[in-house]
């Protein structure tokens, strides 16, 4: 999905600010949000990390940039809980007001009235699956898909329609593009594909190699 | 960590508190759940796990070989918790190659070996820039790399997780593994810092 989360190569975000002696959690609420994960997923707000990532991608874009990492999680968790019918936003809004919160504050969650089906509960914890007959081999030149998808996908926009070289084959994995939408695991081969800086960013690029882990449907054969 | 009453101005804090109350009412959250999260990621899961693995690789060439060939198998007997690492790939820094790790699409990070990521790793500046101008960004972050050093960036776009094996600092061969592990910083295992002896 084209969205604010797809940050690779985007200009304008300024310097990286590092903290010395950074705490694991900066505020108690961040740890609280982390602790919601277990109960929310057991209750059926989502069944997979793919789904959870997509919930976060869909939050309010301004909140994505300003609410911090756990603020993004909070938006994703709330979206999932509401879409699954476990809580309502009215319920949360009322509670926020009871606690003295401001009803005009930006809410990160963006639940849809017609959410995707949840899909099946995974058989076991983990996303590696047996798949046979990989289409590509290490050393092979491949071109990535030029088309952005409307839903969840793990091909970043900066690597669309680019030529790279397969450097590793990682065997079969659950396919996020279907799994996030409750359309089944549809396992796919996964490859690390290496791109030059020039291929991704043009002639002025630095001397750098960028490696991405790409699912087989994202790539096609590129003639030499 | 500060008490949350200091941060009432953050709307996220109040909304989190509201959701906490509702999840408790619904039996989906227990008061001790947050304590367990804090204990796990403050005490048991953190960058010291990765640092010990790095120090062992410096000391034991056979382990280093196994770690670089198949990181997942090499760390299997460490019994690490924290999830998030189904397949670990360890990439080695050398005098001619420098590696750095990122997740541009979310904030994937090898929790089991490095703990929870620092804020800057999850923020837009690092995620947007490290794939486009790594040499410039690393220099800004205090790591100036000669032009002839090849930079390899690993954008963790699937479930494979990456950790950098930093170069051992000079004049540390006499040190034992525990002392060496104490030299290894989290940032060196992400690939945004070198190590001093």
């Amino acid at each position: 999905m084209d969205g604010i989360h797809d940050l690779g190569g985007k200009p304008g975000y300024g310097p990286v600010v590092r903290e010395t002696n950074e705490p694991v959690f900066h505020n108690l609420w961040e740890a609280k949000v982390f602790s919601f994960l277990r109960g929310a997923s057991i209750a059926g707000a989502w069944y997979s990390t793919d789904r959870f990532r997509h919930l976060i991608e869909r939050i309010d874009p301004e909140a994505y940039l300003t609410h911090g990492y756990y603020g993004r999680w909070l938006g994703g968790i709330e979206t999932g809980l509401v879409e699954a019918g476990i809580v309502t936003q009215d319920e949360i809004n009322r509670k926020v007001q009871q606690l003295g919160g401001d009803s005009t504050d930006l809410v990160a969650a963006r639940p849809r009235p017609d959410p995707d089906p949840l899909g099946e509960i995974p058989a076991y914890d983990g996303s590696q699956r047996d798949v046979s007959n990989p289409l590509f081999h290490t050393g092979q030149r491949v071109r990535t898909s030029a088309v952005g998808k409307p839903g969840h996908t793990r091909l970043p926009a900066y690597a669309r329609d680019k030529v790279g070289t397969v450097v590793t084959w990682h065997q079969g994995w659950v396919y996020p593009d279907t799994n996030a939408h409750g359309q089944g695991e549809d396992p796919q081969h996964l490859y690390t594909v290496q791109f030059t800086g020039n291929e991704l960013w043009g002639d002025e690029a630095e001397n750098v190699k960028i490696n991405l882990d790409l699912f087989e449907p994202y790539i096609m054969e590129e003639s030499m | 960590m500060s008490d949350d009453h200091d941060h009432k101005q953050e709307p996220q804090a109040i909304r989190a508190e509201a959701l906490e109350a509702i999840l408790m009412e619904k039996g989906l959250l227990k008061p001790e759940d947050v304590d367990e999260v804090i204990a796990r990621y403050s005490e048991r899961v953190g960058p010291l796990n990765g640092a010990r693995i790095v120090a062992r690789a410096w000391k034991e060439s056979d382990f280093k070989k196994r770690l670089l060939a198949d990181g997942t198998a090499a760390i299997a007997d460490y019994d690490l918790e924290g999830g998030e690492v189904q397949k670990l790939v360890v990439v080695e820094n050398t005098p001619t190659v420098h590696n750095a790790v990122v997740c541009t699409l979310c904030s994937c990070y090898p929790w089991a070996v490095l703990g929870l990521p620092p804020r800057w790793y999850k923020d837009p500046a690092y995620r947007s820039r490290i794939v486009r101008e790594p040499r410039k960004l690393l220099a800004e972050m205090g790591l100036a790399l000669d032009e002839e050093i090849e930079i390899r960036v690993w954008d963790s776009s699937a479930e494979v997780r990456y950790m950098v094996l930093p170069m051992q600092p000079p004049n540390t061969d006499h040190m034992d593994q525990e002392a060496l592990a104490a030299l290894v910083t989290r940032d060196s295992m992400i690939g945004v810092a070198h190590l001093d002896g």
Side-chain angles (χ1 to χ4, degrees):
Chain A
M1 173 182 101
D2 287 320
I4 194 74
H5 68 283
D6 191 351
L7 283 162
K10 300 280 161 61
Y13 288 110
V16 169
V17 180
R18 281 191 286 186
E19 287 172 52
T20 45
N21 300 317
E22 181 175 344
V24 175
F25 297 103
H26 289 74
N27 302 291
L28 184 57
W29 73 264
E30 298 185 338
K32 284 181 179 176
V33 168
F34 197 124
S35 75
F36 301 163
L37 282 186
R38 201 171 140 271
S41 58
I42 288 171
W46 60 84
Y47 292 141
S48 70
T49 306
D50 300 317
R51 177 68 155 233
F52 183 55
R53 289 197 183 112
H54 192 48
L55 290 167
I56 292 173
E57 290 166 2
R58 290 165 40 210
I59 68 168
D60 179 86
E62 187 190 332
Y64 191 97
L65 294 179
T66 58
H67 282 195
Y69 179 67
Y70 293 104
R72 301 198 282 272
W73 276 28
L74 177 63
I77 292 168
E78 180 178 330
T79 303
L81 286 166
V82 172
E83 289 188 346
I86 299 161
V87 301
T88 66
Q89 278 197 297
D90 280 349
E91 230 177 320
I92 306 170
N93 291 338
R94 274 199 304 276
K95 190 66 83 177
V96 166
Q97 284 187 337
Q98 281 171 27
L99 293 169
D102 185 339
S103 60
T104 64
D105 281 335
L106 176 63
V107 174
R110 286 288 175 270
R112 288 173 177 163
D114 54 344
D116 291 326
L118 276 165
E120 287 171 36
I121 300 173
Y124 61 92
D125 185 26
S127 42
Q128 285 166 287
R129 301 287 184 270
D130 289 331
V131 200
S132 53
N133 301 325
L135 287 179
F136 305 104
H137 56 81
T138 57
Q140 190 169 0
R141 273 160 57 88
V142 293
R143 180 179 290 273
T144 54
S145 168
V147 186
K149 290 185 175 180
H152 184 62
T153 188
R154 300 293 289 182
L155 174 63
Y158 76 83
R160 282 184 203 150
D161 197 22
K162 302 292 182 191
V163 176
T165 305
V166 174
V167 292
T168 312
W169 168 52
H170 294 290
Q171 306 194 15
W173 295 75
V174 170
Y175 190 37
D177 301 42
T178 52
N179 199 41
H181 295 281
Q183 295 166 356
E185 295 190 341
D186 191 20
Q188 301 288 341
H189 292 283
L190 181 73
Y191 308 88
T192 301
V193 181
Q194 187 171 85
F195 302 88
T196 64
N198 288 337
E199 173 67 13
L200 296 178
W201 313 115
D203 294 343
E204 303 295 306
E206 294 180 359
N207 170 26
V208 57
K209 301 264 174 34
I210 307 290
N211 299 275
L212 276 159
D213 292 333
L214 300 180
F215 293 88
E216 196 163 78
Y218 301 166
I219 55 182
M220 63 197 101
E221 197 177 347
E222 172 76 0
S223 50
M224 295 304 276
Chain B
M1 184 169 26
S2 29
D3 186 85
D4 59 342
H5 293 284
D6 297 340
H7 292 268
K8 288 292 188 210
Q9 71 278 16
E10 275 185 299
Q12 309 91 293
I14 282 210
R15 201 149 187 98
E17 212 177 307
L19 197 51
E20 177 190 34
I22 292 169
L23 291 174
M24 290 217 191
E25 284 163 19
K26 293 182 189 294
L28 295 173
L29 188 70
K30 297 189 295 293
E32 60 268 28
D33 288 350
V34 67
D35 301 327
E36 164 57 21
V37 164
I38 292 168
R40 186 188 311 140
Y41 293 100
S42 307
E43 294 158 22
R44 305 197 296 275
V45 183
L48 186 58
N49 291 325
R52 287 185 172 131
I53 291 165
V54 166
R56 185 174 165 200
W58 288 341
K59 276 290 192 197
E60 300 174 14
S61 60
D62 176 62
F63 177 72
K64 178 175 160 181
K65 231 176 269 174
R66 287 195 289 129
L67 187 67
L68 294 174
D70 184 344
T72 324
I75 67 161
D77 52 1
Y78 278 77
D79 199 24
L80 299 170
E81 60 178 317
E84 275 287 305
V85 179
Q86 301 186 54
K87 178 162 186 174
L88 180 70
V89 172
V90 178
V91 288
E92 182 186 20
N93 283 351
T94 70
T96 55
V97 173
H98 180 84
N99 295 279
V101 179
V102 66
C103 170
T104 63
L105 289 172
C106 43
S107 299
C108 298
Y109 189 77
W111 290 7
V113 283
L114 298 189
L116 296 180
R119 229 177 215 180
W120 60 262
Y121 181 89
K122 302 172 283 192
D123 282 348
Y126 182 76
R127 287 166 54 194
S128 61
R129 295 183 60 200
I130 192 71
V131 292
R132 184 159 194 158
E133 46 180 13
R135 202 174 299 270
K136 183 167 179 239
L137 178 58
L138 291 173
E140 280 179 26
M141 293 173 79
L143 178 59
L145 296 168
D146 289 342
E147 278 300 321
E148 56 268 29
I149 295 174
E150 180 181 304
I151 299 178
R152 293 180 192 162
V153 178
W154 303 85
D155 186 352
S156 346
S157 45
E159 296 304 325
V160 180
R161 295 289 169 268
Y162 293 88
M163 182 178 95
V164 175
L165 176 61
M167 285 189 285
Q168 184 171 347
N171 309 317
T172 55
D173 281 346
H174 62 283
M175 296 170 74
D176 65 16
Q177 275 189 38
E178 201 63 18
L180 284 171
L183 298 179
V184 181
T185 63
R186 176 196 65 208
D187 287 4
S188 75
M189 295 181 283
I190 303 174
V192 299
H194 276 163
L195 296 174
D196 305 317

